[in-house]
Amino acid sequence: GRGMIKVSAVKPEHRTVRAPVRVFDNQADVRTAFENDELNQDLIIAVRFQGPAANGMPELHGLSPILGALQDAGHSVALVTDGRMSGASGKVPAAIHLAPEAANGGPLAYLQDGDIISLRADEGRLELEDAANILATRQPKPFRPNAAPAGLGQDMFDGFRATVSHADQGASVFSFTNQSKT
């Protein structure tokens, strides 16, 4: 897969993280786990089903204070997501826009709590330990859209989510071709 990471504000000593993953399907559950003191350790937080085909890439900047607090407590932490985060240039490494996204069967859909991930930002590497075995033996977690009542907007964008390109291709519902005249 592919993704992006900005490290301009991440101190060099925080750019490499090898830790167990804790998997979430939305940022509200991350906040709840933090408030319940369930994240007080070295870890990589994975927030999946946040990409363009899942729910249109909501802003995940609300995770920045949580991640920063964990890092300030002395933990080695990082975020991986198929979503977006304007705070990705913050002090905690955040690999964002992972594609293919979990809703399309991308690697995040296969993760389970406790899997070991290694993020080496300076090398542009994000690796799941024992990935070949995990991808060969597990079924991806299926995406289930939020159960919003009909008519309140969730269904209005179904057509866009069904046709949107991957984040690394622009997350667009439009296709562009080169129509240059020679």
Side-chain angles (χ1 to χ4, degrees):
R2 299 176 67 108
M4 68 172 286
I5 187 167
K6 292 169 69 177
V7 296
S8 58
V10 178
K11 291 181 180 177
E13 62 268 24
H14 297 299
R15 294 181 187 170
T16 298
V17 178
R18 181 187 175 276
V21 69
R22 180 76 188 269
V23 185
F24 298 92
D25 294 342
N26 60 66
Q27 65 180 322
D29 289 345
V30 176
R31 180 174 310 286
T32 299
F34 178 75
E35 290 169 354
N36 292 335
D37 201 30
E38 298 172 14
L39 306 178
N40 198 15
Q41 65 183 52
D42 292 353
L43 80 160
I44 294 181
I45 294 175
V47 185
R48 60 184 170 197
F49 302 123
Q50 302 303 301
N55 64 4
M57 298 183 84
E59 175 57 58
L60 300 177
H61 72 275
L63 298 177
S64 294
I66 293 169
L67 296 166
L70 293 169
Q71 188 179 71
D72 291 346
H75 300 297
S76 183
V77 296
L79 171 72
V80 297
T81 182
D82 49 10
R84 69 183 176 96
M85 186 176 185
S86 65
S89 59
K91 66 182 187 176
V92 175
I96 62 175
H97 300 290
L98 296 180
E101 65 180 281
N104 292 330
L108 287 177
Y110 291 83
L111 290 180
Q112 294 178 0
D113 287 350
D115 289 341
I116 304 297
I117 293 181
S118 176
L119 171 65
R120 296 189 305 273
D122 288 334
E123 299 172 31
R125 307 283 302 174
L126 178 62
E127 297 174 326
L128 170 63
E129 290 187 11
D130 198 24
N133 182 50
I134 288 171
L135 296 175
T137 60
R138 289 185 190 162
Q139 293 295 314
K141 181 176 180 185
F143 171 64
R144 292 187 172 79
N146 294 336
L152 293 180
Q154 182 73 18
D155 55 340
M156 183 166 56
F157 296 102
D158 284 345
F160 290 110
R161 285 193 302 274
T163 60
V164 69
S165 63
H166 294 297
D168 65 340
Q169 299 167 337
S172 177
V173 295
F174 303 105
S175 63
F176 300 94
T177 57
N178 185 351
Q179 300 290 330
S180 65
K181 297 178 184 178
T182 53

